mmCIF file of all heavy atoms in Angstrom:
data_model
loop_
_atom_site.group_PDB
_atom_site.id
_atom_site.type_symbol
_atom_site.label_atom_id
_atom_site.label_comp_id
_atom_site.label_asym_id
_atom_site.label_seq_id
_atom_site.Cartn_x
_atom_site.Cartn_y
_atom_site.Cartn_z
ATOM 1 N N ARG R 181 -87.986 -68.239 162.857
ATOM 2 C CA ARG R 181 -86.631 -68.329 162.291
ATOM 3 C C ARG R 181 -85.843 -69.427 162.984
ATOM 4 O O ARG R 181 -85.140 -70.212 162.341
ATOM 5 C CB ARG R 181 -85.942 -66.986 162.455
ATOM 6 C CG ARG R 181 -84.454 -66.962 162.048
ATOM 7 C CD ARG R 181 -83.925 -65.549 161.917
ATOM 8 N NE ARG R 181 -84.132 -64.806 163.147
ATOM 9 C CZ ARG R 181 -83.308 -64.791 164.202
ATOM 10 N NH1 ARG R 181 -82.206 -65.546 164.179
ATOM 11 N NH2 ARG R 181 -83.563 -64.042 165.268
ATOM 12 N N TYR R 182 -85.955 -69.502 164.315
ATOM 13 C CA TYR R 182 -85.199 -70.540 165.039
ATOM 14 C C TYR R 182 -85.732 -71.947 164.674
ATOM 15 O O TYR R 182 -84.928 -72.915 164.567
ATOM 16 C CB TYR R 182 -85.304 -70.332 166.557
ATOM 17 C CG TYR R 182 -84.559 -69.116 167.028
ATOM 18 C CD1 TYR R 182 -85.125 -68.248 167.957
ATOM 19 C CD2 TYR R 182 -83.218 -68.853 166.603
ATOM 20 C CE1 TYR R 182 -84.427 -67.149 168.408
ATOM 21 C CE2 TYR R 182 -82.538 -67.735 167.042
ATOM 22 C CZ TYR R 182 -83.136 -66.886 167.963
ATOM 23 O OH TYR R 182 -82.443 -65.793 168.431
ATOM 24 N N LEU R 183 -87.019 -72.057 164.465
ATOM 25 C CA LEU R 183 -87.561 -73.352 164.049
ATOM 26 C C LEU R 183 -87.013 -73.750 162.684
ATOM 27 O O LEU R 183 -86.651 -74.898 162.461
ATOM 28 C CB LEU R 183 -89.098 -73.294 163.983
ATOM 29 C CG LEU R 183 -89.860 -73.623 165.290
ATOM 30 C CD1 LEU R 183 -91.342 -73.373 165.097
ATOM 31 C CD2 LEU R 183 -89.591 -75.036 165.750
ATOM 32 N N GLU R 184 -86.973 -72.779 161.758
ATOM 33 C CA GLU R 184 -86.427 -73.066 160.416
ATOM 34 C C GLU R 184 -84.961 -73.460 160.504
ATOM 35 O O GLU R 184 -84.505 -74.383 159.799
ATOM 36 C CB GLU R 184 -86.608 -71.835 159.513
ATOM 37 C CG GLU R 184 -88.062 -71.573 159.120
ATOM 38 C CD GLU R 184 -88.249 -70.253 158.403
ATOM 39 O OE1 GLU R 184 -87.230 -69.525 158.197
ATOM 40 O OE2 GLU R 184 -89.403 -69.888 158.076
ATOM 41 N N GLU R 185 -84.193 -72.753 161.329
ATOM 42 C CA GLU R 185 -82.770 -73.087 161.474
ATOM 43 C C GLU R 185 -82.590 -74.467 162.094
ATOM 44 O O GLU R 185 -81.689 -75.226 161.680
ATOM 45 C CB GLU R 185 -82.070 -72.027 162.364
ATOM 46 C CG GLU R 185 -81.928 -70.684 161.668
ATOM 47 C CD GLU R 185 -81.375 -69.608 162.616
ATOM 48 O OE1 GLU R 185 -81.243 -69.894 163.828
ATOM 49 O OE2 GLU R 185 -81.099 -68.505 162.125
ATOM 50 N N ALA R 186 -83.454 -74.800 163.050
ATOM 51 C CA ALA R 186 -83.412 -76.119 163.644
ATOM 52 C C ALA R 186 -83.695 -77.197 162.632
ATOM 53 O O ALA R 186 -83.030 -78.257 162.612
ATOM 54 C CB ALA R 186 -84.395 -76.220 164.825
ATOM 55 N N GLU R 187 -84.644 -76.952 161.758
ATOM 56 C CA GLU R 187 -85.022 -77.913 160.731
ATOM 57 C C GLU R 187 -83.839 -78.197 159.792
ATOM 58 O O GLU R 187 -83.613 -79.328 159.392
ATOM 59 C CB GLU R 187 -86.202 -77.386 159.903
ATOM 60 C CG GLU R 187 -87.551 -77.515 160.580
ATOM 61 C CD GLU R 187 -88.008 -78.969 160.649
ATOM 62 O OE1 GLU R 187 -87.510 -79.803 159.908
ATOM 63 O OE2 GLU R 187 -88.895 -79.255 161.473
ATOM 64 N N ARG R 188 -83.052 -77.145 159.513
ATOM 65 C CA ARG R 188 -81.938 -77.319 158.554
ATOM 66 C C ARG R 188 -80.799 -78.129 159.161
ATOM 67 O O ARG R 188 -80.069 -78.817 158.435
ATOM 68 C CB ARG R 188 -81.433 -75.936 158.126
ATOM 69 C CG ARG R 188 -82.369 -75.223 157.177
ATOM 70 C CD ARG R 188 -81.656 -74.096 156.443
ATOM 71 N NE ARG R 188 -81.274 -73.000 157.347
ATOM 72 C CZ ARG R 188 -82.048 -71.981 157.648
ATOM 73 N NH1 ARG R 188 -83.239 -71.867 157.105
ATOM 74 N NH2 ARG R 188 -81.596 -71.010 158.434
ATOM 75 N N SER R 189 -80.637 -78.063 160.515
ATOM 76 C CA SER R 189 -79.504 -78.775 161.144
ATOM 77 C C SER R 189 -79.950 -80.104 161.781
ATOM 78 O O SER R 189 -79.118 -80.855 162.275
ATOM 79 C CB SER R 189 -78.858 -77.888 162.169
ATOM 80 O OG SER R 189 -79.788 -77.591 163.248
ATOM 81 N N TRP R 190 -81.224 -80.429 161.732
ATOM 82 C CA TRP R 190 -81.779 -81.574 162.446
ATOM 83 C C TRP R 190 -81.376 -82.853 161.713
ATOM 84 O O TRP R 190 -81.747 -83.099 160.558
ATOM 85 C CB TRP R 190 -83.300 -81.441 162.458
ATOM 86 C CG TRP R 190 -83.998 -82.226 163.528
ATOM 87 C CD1 TRP R 190 -83.614 -83.391 164.089
ATOM 88 C CD2 TRP R 190 -85.235 -81.857 164.174
ATOM 89 N NE1 TRP R 190 -84.522 -83.806 165.021
ATOM 90 C CE2 TRP R 190 -85.540 -82.862 165.106
ATOM 91 C CE3 TRP R 190 -86.121 -80.790 164.038
ATOM 92 C CZ2 TRP R 190 -86.692 -82.856 165.875
ATOM 93 C CZ3 TRP R 190 -87.265 -80.763 164.831
ATOM 94 C CH2 TRP R 190 -87.552 -81.779 165.745
ATOM 95 N N SER R 191 -80.634 -83.711 162.394
ATOM 96 C CA SER R 191 -80.175 -84.927 161.784
ATOM 97 C C SER R 191 -81.317 -85.949 161.577
ATOM 98 O O SER R 191 -82.264 -86.009 162.356
ATOM 99 C CB SER R 191 -79.072 -85.605 162.646
ATOM 100 O OG SER R 191 -79.617 -85.980 163.891
ATOM 101 N N THR R 192 -81.174 -86.773 160.535
ATOM 102 C CA THR R 192 -82.240 -87.722 160.182
ATOM 103 C C THR R 192 -82.533 -88.694 161.307
ATOM 104 O O THR R 192 -83.674 -88.979 161.599
ATOM 105 C CB THR R 192 -81.823 -88.502 158.915
ATOM 106 O OG1 THR R 192 -81.560 -87.577 157.864
ATOM 107 C CG2 THR R 192 -82.916 -89.444 158.485
ATOM 108 N N GLU R 193 -81.461 -89.189 161.946
ATOM 109 C CA GLU R 193 -81.658 -90.223 163.004
ATOM 110 C C GLU R 193 -82.324 -89.712 164.251
ATOM 111 O O GLU R 193 -82.782 -90.515 165.097
ATOM 112 C CB GLU R 193 -80.336 -90.889 163.329
ATOM 113 C CG GLU R 193 -79.242 -89.982 163.846
ATOM 114 C CD GLU R 193 -78.310 -89.478 162.776
ATOM 115 O OE1 GLU R 193 -78.823 -88.962 161.749
ATOM 116 O OE2 GLU R 193 -77.093 -89.603 162.942
ATOM 117 N N LEU R 194 -82.427 -88.378 164.432
ATOM 118 C CA LEU R 194 -83.098 -87.826 165.605
ATOM 119 C C LEU R 194 -84.394 -87.120 165.258
ATOM 120 O O LEU R 194 -84.889 -86.274 165.951
ATOM 121 C CB LEU R 194 -82.161 -86.850 166.335
ATOM 122 C CG LEU R 194 -80.974 -87.502 167.035
ATOM 123 C CD1 LEU R 194 -80.013 -86.447 167.628
ATOM 124 C CD2 LEU R 194 -81.445 -88.480 168.115
ATOM 125 N N ARG R 195 -85.010 -87.579 164.145
ATOM 126 C CA ARG R 195 -86.308 -87.024 163.739
ATOM 127 C C ARG R 195 -87.466 -88.005 164.012
ATOM 128 O O ARG R 195 -88.617 -87.604 163.921
ATOM 129 C CB ARG R 195 -86.296 -86.705 162.253
ATOM 130 C CG ARG R 195 -85.516 -85.451 161.890
ATOM 131 C CD ARG R 195 -85.565 -85.214 160.394
ATOM 132 N NE ARG R 195 -84.913 -83.972 160.028
ATOM 133 C CZ ARG R 195 -85.534 -82.801 159.961
ATOM 134 N NH1 ARG R 195 -86.806 -82.707 160.195
ATOM 135 N NH2 ARG R 195 -84.874 -81.701 159.593
ATOM 136 N N ILE R 196 -87.119 -89.236 164.325
ATOM 137 C CA ILE R 196 -88.158 -90.271 164.458
ATOM 138 C C ILE R 196 -88.344 -90.627 165.926
ATOM 139 O O ILE R 196 -87.357 -90.919 166.616
ATOM 140 C CB ILE R 196 -87.789 -91.531 163.644
ATOM 141 C CG1 ILE R 196 -87.593 -91.167 162.178
ATOM 142 C CG2 ILE R 196 -88.856 -92.607 163.800
ATOM 143 C CD1 ILE R 196 -86.975 -92.238 161.331
ATOM 144 N N GLU R 197 -89.574 -90.618 166.413
ATOM 145 C CA GLU R 197 -89.880 -90.915 167.788
ATOM 146 C C GLU R 197 -89.205 -92.238 168.218
ATOM 147 O O GLU R 197 -89.276 -93.219 167.518
ATOM 148 C CB GLU R 197 -91.386 -91.012 168.004
ATOM 149 C CG GLU R 197 -91.799 -91.171 169.443
ATOM 150 C CD GLU R 197 -93.313 -91.164 169.582
ATOM 151 O OE1 GLU R 197 -94.032 -90.855 168.604
ATOM 152 O OE2 GLU R 197 -93.796 -91.506 170.692
ATOM 153 N N GLY R 198 -88.562 -92.178 169.375
ATOM 154 C CA GLY R 198 -87.925 -93.362 169.943
ATOM 155 C C GLY R 198 -86.455 -93.598 169.511
ATOM 156 O O GLY R 198 -85.737 -94.392 170.076
ATOM 157 N N MET R 199 -85.998 -92.822 168.519
ATOM 158 C CA MET R 199 -84.636 -92.963 168.069
ATOM 159 C C MET R 199 -83.669 -92.221 168.999
ATOM 160 O O MET R 199 -84.063 -91.299 169.687
ATOM 161 C CB MET R 199 -84.461 -92.442 166.621
ATOM 162 C CG MET R 199 -85.285 -93.192 165.607
ATOM 163 S SD MET R 199 -84.747 -94.925 165.434
ATOM 164 C CE MET R 199 -83.208 -94.677 164.543
ATOM 165 N N TYR R 200 -82.418 -92.654 168.974
ATOM 166 C CA TYR R 200 -81.402 -91.988 169.821
ATOM 167 C C TYR R 200 -80.024 -92.114 169.193
ATOM 168 O O TYR R 200 -79.795 -92.966 168.316
ATOM 169 C CB TYR R 200 -81.376 -92.609 171.229
ATOM 170 C CG TYR R 200 -80.731 -93.979 171.312
ATOM 171 C CD1 TYR R 200 -79.403 -94.126 171.679
ATOM 172 C CD2 TYR R 200 -81.453 -95.133 170.998
ATOM 173 C CE1 TYR R 200 -78.795 -95.367 171.749
ATOM 174 C CE2 TYR R 200 -80.842 -96.410 171.063
ATOM 175 C CZ TYR R 200 -79.522 -96.499 171.454
ATOM 176 O OH TYR R 200 -78.924 -97.734 171.507
ATOM 177 N N VAL R 201 -79.109 -91.270 169.637
ATOM 178 C CA VAL R 201 -77.720 -91.313 169.238
ATOM 179 C C VAL R 201 -76.861 -91.269 170.509
ATOM 180 O O VAL R 201 -77.043 -90.343 171.319
ATOM 181 C CB VAL R 201 -77.355 -90.140 168.311
ATOM 182 C CG1 VAL R 201 -75.821 -90.133 168.069
ATOM 183 C CG2 VAL R 201 -78.093 -90.246 167.001
ATOM 184 N N ALA R 202 -75.980 -92.243 170.681
ATOM 185 C CA ALA R 202 -75.103 -92.296 171.868
ATOM 186 C C ALA R 202 -73.670 -91.969 171.436
ATOM 187 O O ALA R 202 -73.255 -92.348 170.337
ATOM 188 C CB ALA R 202 -75.155 -93.639 172.559
ATOM 189 N N GLU R 203 -72.963 -91.244 172.303
ATOM 190 C CA GLU R 203 -71.571 -90.932 172.075
ATOM 191 C C GLU R 203 -70.750 -91.300 173.304
ATOM 192 O O GLU R 203 -71.247 -91.240 174.416
ATOM 193 C CB GLU R 203 -71.379 -89.423 171.822
ATOM 194 C CG GLU R 203 -72.114 -88.853 170.657
ATOM 195 C CD GLU R 203 -71.994 -87.356 170.548
ATOM 196 O OE1 GLU R 203 -71.025 -86.817 171.117
ATOM 197 O OE2 GLU R 203 -72.869 -86.712 169.942
ATOM 198 N N ALA R 204 -69.488 -91.713 173.065
ATOM 199 C CA ALA R 204 -68.626 -92.054 174.194
ATOM 200 C C ALA R 204 -67.173 -91.802 173.824
ATOM 201 O O ALA R 204 -66.295 -92.539 174.220
ATOM 202 C CB ALA R 204 -68.834 -93.501 174.616
ATOM 203 N N GLY R 205 -66.935 -90.728 173.044
ATOM 204 C CA GLY R 205 -65.611 -90.526 172.491
ATOM 205 C C GLY R 205 -64.530 -90.365 173.504
ATOM 206 O O GLY R 205 -63.444 -90.905 173.396
ATOM 207 N N ALA R 206 -64.751 -89.528 174.553
ATOM 208 C CA ALA R 206 -63.696 -89.266 175.547
ATOM 209 C C ALA R 206 -63.939 -89.987 176.836
ATOM 210 O O ALA R 206 -63.327 -89.665 177.851
ATOM 211 C CB ALA R 206 -63.590 -87.759 175.778
ATOM 212 N N GLY R 207 -64.837 -90.949 176.852
ATOM 213 C CA GLY R 207 -65.066 -91.726 178.064
ATOM 214 C C GLY R 207 -66.326 -91.376 178.773
ATOM 215 O O GLY R 207 -66.743 -92.044 179.725
ATOM 216 N N ASP R 208 -67.006 -90.281 178.378
ATOM 217 C CA ASP R 208 -68.240 -89.865 179.006
ATOM 218 C C ASP R 208 -69.415 -90.244 178.133
ATOM 219 O O ASP R 208 -69.597 -89.659 177.046
ATOM 220 C CB ASP R 208 -68.258 -88.341 179.228
ATOM 221 C CG ASP R 208 -67.063 -87.886 180.065
ATOM 222 O OD1 ASP R 208 -66.721 -88.614 181.005
ATOM 223 O OD2 ASP R 208 -66.473 -86.864 179.754
ATOM 224 N N LEU R 209 -70.231 -91.176 178.558
ATOM 225 C CA LEU R 209 -71.393 -91.607 177.779
ATOM 226 C C LEU R 209 -72.409 -90.452 177.770
ATOM 227 O O LEU R 209 -72.726 -89.882 178.795
ATOM 228 C CB LEU R 209 -72.017 -92.870 178.397
ATOM 229 C CG LEU R 209 -73.255 -93.375 177.674
ATOM 230 C CD1 LEU R 209 -72.961 -93.799 176.256
ATOM 231 C CD2 LEU R 209 -73.835 -94.590 178.467
ATOM 232 N N TRP R 210 -72.907 -90.147 176.581
ATOM 233 C CA TRP R 210 -73.915 -89.114 176.407
ATOM 234 C C TRP R 210 -74.927 -89.644 175.386
ATOM 235 O O TRP R 210 -74.525 -90.143 174.352
ATOM 236 C CB TRP R 210 -73.332 -87.815 175.952
ATOM 237 C CG TRP R 210 -74.334 -86.708 175.823
ATOM 238 C CD1 TRP R 210 -75.074 -86.376 174.716
ATOM 239 C CD2 TRP R 210 -74.761 -85.806 176.853
ATOM 240 N NE1 TRP R 210 -75.915 -85.337 174.978
ATOM 241 C CE2 TRP R 210 -75.727 -84.959 176.302
ATOM 242 C CE3 TRP R 210 -74.398 -85.634 178.180
ATOM 243 C CZ2 TRP R 210 -76.370 -83.952 177.038
ATOM 244 C CZ3 TRP R 210 -75.023 -84.637 178.922
ATOM 245 C CH2 TRP R 210 -76.001 -83.798 178.335
ATOM 246 N N ILE R 211 -76.244 -89.495 175.691
ATOM 247 C CA ILE R 211 -77.262 -89.993 174.794
ATOM 248 C C ILE R 211 -78.249 -88.904 174.454
ATOM 249 O O ILE R 211 -78.857 -88.275 175.348
ATOM 250 C CB ILE R 211 -77.994 -91.195 175.439
ATOM 251 C CG1 ILE R 211 -77.010 -92.334 175.750
ATOM 252 C CG2 ILE R 211 -79.065 -91.733 174.468
ATOM 253 C CD1 ILE R 211 -77.604 -93.504 176.475
ATOM 254 N N ASP R 212 -78.369 -88.605 173.178
ATOM 255 C CA ASP R 212 -79.356 -87.667 172.684
ATOM 256 C C ASP R 212 -80.546 -88.426 172.112
ATOM 257 O O ASP R 212 -80.381 -89.427 171.402
ATOM 258 C CB ASP R 212 -78.761 -86.773 171.571
ATOM 259 C CG ASP R 212 -77.900 -85.663 172.137
ATOM 260 O OD1 ASP R 212 -78.279 -85.052 173.122
ATOM 261 O OD2 ASP R 212 -76.819 -85.406 171.523
ATOM 262 N N THR R 213 -81.758 -87.932 172.369
ATOM 263 C CA THR R 213 -82.941 -88.619 171.894
ATOM 264 C C THR R 213 -83.762 -87.735 170.937
ATOM 265 O O THR R 213 -83.776 -86.493 171.073
ATOM 266 C CB THR R 213 -83.869 -89.037 173.070
ATOM 267 O OG1 THR R 213 -84.419 -87.847 173.682
ATOM 268 C CG2 THR R 213 -83.094 -89.837 174.088
ATOM 269 N N ALA R 214 -84.454 -88.390 170.019
ATOM 270 C CA ALA R 214 -85.369 -87.700 169.143
ATOM 271 C C ALA R 214 -86.544 -87.129 169.921
ATOM 272 O O ALA R 214 -87.046 -86.043 169.631
ATOM 273 C CB ALA R 214 -85.860 -88.644 168.050
ATOM 274 N N ASP R 215 -86.999 -87.853 170.934
ATOM 275 C CA ASP R 215 -88.204 -87.457 171.667
ATOM 276 C C ASP R 215 -88.043 -86.062 172.282
ATOM 277 O O ASP R 215 -88.998 -85.266 172.277
ATOM 278 C CB ASP R 215 -88.539 -88.489 172.759
ATOM 279 C CG ASP R 215 -88.962 -89.811 172.199
ATOM 280 O OD1 ASP R 215 -89.028 -89.963 170.946
ATOM 281 O OD2 ASP R 215 -89.268 -90.720 172.983
ATOM 282 N N GLU R 216 -86.871 -85.804 172.810
ATOM 283 C CA GLU R 216 -86.670 -84.474 173.425
ATOM 284 C C GLU R 216 -86.746 -83.356 172.418
ATOM 285 O O GLU R 216 -87.402 -82.305 172.657
ATOM 286 C CB GLU R 216 -85.273 -84.452 174.108
ATOM 287 C CG GLU R 216 -85.015 -83.225 174.946
ATOM 288 C CD GLU R 216 -83.678 -83.288 175.685
ATOM 289 O OE1 GLU R 216 -82.792 -84.024 175.257
ATOM 290 O OE2 GLU R 216 -83.570 -82.594 176.710
ATOM 291 N N ARG R 217 -86.209 -83.584 171.225
ATOM 292 C CA ARG R 217 -86.275 -82.566 170.201
ATOM 293 C C ARG R 217 -87.703 -82.394 169.681
ATOM 294 O O ARG R 217 -88.156 -81.270 169.447
ATOM 295 C CB ARG R 217 -85.322 -82.954 169.059
ATOM 296 C CG ARG R 217 -83.870 -82.703 169.420
ATOM 297 C CD ARG R 217 -82.908 -83.646 168.721
ATOM 298 N NE ARG R 217 -81.540 -83.412 169.141
ATOM 299 C CZ ARG R 217 -81.063 -83.723 170.357
ATOM 300 N NH1 ARG R 217 -81.825 -84.337 171.236
ATOM 301 N NH2 ARG R 217 -79.806 -83.424 170.691
ATOM 302 N N LEU R 218 -88.367 -83.505 169.486
ATOM 303 C CA LEU R 218 -89.766 -83.442 169.001
ATOM 304 C C LEU R 218 -90.655 -82.678 169.984
ATOM 305 O O LEU R 218 -91.545 -81.926 169.612
ATOM 306 C CB LEU R 218 -90.290 -84.833 168.758
ATOM 307 C CG LEU R 218 -89.622 -85.596 167.594
ATOM 308 C CD1 LEU R 218 -89.998 -87.086 167.625
ATOM 309 C CD2 LEU R 218 -90.010 -84.984 166.237
ATOM 310 N N ALA R 219 -90.439 -82.925 171.297
ATOM 311 C CA ALA R 219 -91.236 -82.252 172.316
ATOM 312 C C ALA R 219 -91.020 -80.734 172.325
ATOM 313 O O ALA R 219 -91.967 -79.955 172.469
ATOM 314 C CB ALA R 219 -90.953 -82.857 173.703
ATOM 315 N N LEU R 220 -89.763 -80.324 172.160
ATOM 316 C CA LEU R 220 -89.470 -78.887 172.132
ATOM 317 C C LEU R 220 -90.059 -78.241 170.885
ATOM 318 O O LEU R 220 -90.603 -77.126 170.954
ATOM 319 C CB LEU R 220 -87.966 -78.672 172.159
ATOM 320 C CG LEU R 220 -87.275 -78.846 173.534
ATOM 321 C CD1 LEU R 220 -85.758 -78.948 173.347
ATOM 322 C CD2 LEU R 220 -87.648 -77.707 174.493
ATOM 323 N N ALA R 221 -89.964 -78.920 169.757
ATOM 324 C CA ALA R 221 -90.549 -78.376 168.520
ATOM 325 C C ALA R 221 -92.071 -78.223 168.632
ATOM 326 O O ALA R 221 -92.638 -77.201 168.232
ATOM 327 C CB ALA R 221 -90.179 -79.259 167.334
ATOM 328 N N GLU R 222 -92.691 -79.233 169.237
ATOM 329 C CA GLU R 222 -94.146 -79.155 169.437
ATOM 330 C C GLU R 222 -94.510 -78.040 170.394
ATOM 331 O O GLU R 222 -95.529 -77.336 170.180
ATOM 332 C CB GLU R 222 -94.639 -80.514 169.983
ATOM 333 C CG GLU R 222 -96.164 -80.584 170.182
ATOM 334 C CD GLU R 222 -96.950 -80.415 168.878
ATOM 335 O OE1 GLU R 222 -96.395 -80.562 167.784
ATOM 336 O OE2 GLU R 222 -98.142 -80.047 168.997
ATOM 337 N N ARG R 223 -93.726 -77.852 171.437
ATOM 338 C CA ARG R 223 -94.001 -76.773 172.385
ATOM 339 C C ARG R 223 -93.941 -75.412 171.683
ATOM 340 O O ARG R 223 -94.807 -74.559 171.903
ATOM 341 C CB ARG R 223 -92.955 -76.807 173.514
ATOM 342 C CG ARG R 223 -93.094 -75.679 174.544
ATOM 343 C CD ARG R 223 -92.228 -75.919 175.755
ATOM 344 N NE ARG R 223 -92.314 -74.802 176.698
ATOM 345 C CZ ARG R 223 -91.833 -74.857 177.927
ATOM 346 N NH1 ARG R 223 -91.211 -75.964 178.379
ATOM 347 N NH2 ARG R 223 -91.923 -73.814 178.761
#
């Protein structure tokens, strides 16, 4: 169930190995990577 829910909310840009999304809205740089999500799904 959690895998299915993750699939529904998983953004396109974080599904491909090597891709990332960076945010810096309030001054704190934060970077999310596709690799981390892919590794957890595989586990």
Side-chain angles (χ1 to χ4, degrees):
R181 174 166 55 86
Y182 290 135
L183 273 175
E184 289 172 1
E185 289 174 353
E187 283 289 341
R188 288 197 292 271
S189 63
W190 201 330
S191 63
T192 303
E193 59 266 52
L194 290 176
R195 285 179 175 270
I196 302 169
E197 186 177 350
M199 296 295 286
Y200 75 97
V201 172
E203 300 175 22
D208 303 321
L209 180 61
W210 182 270
I211 301 176
D212 281 319
T213 68
D215 292 0
E216 188 175 24
R217 285 151 182 72
L218 292 167
L220 284 167
E222 183 61 20
R223 177 170 177 168

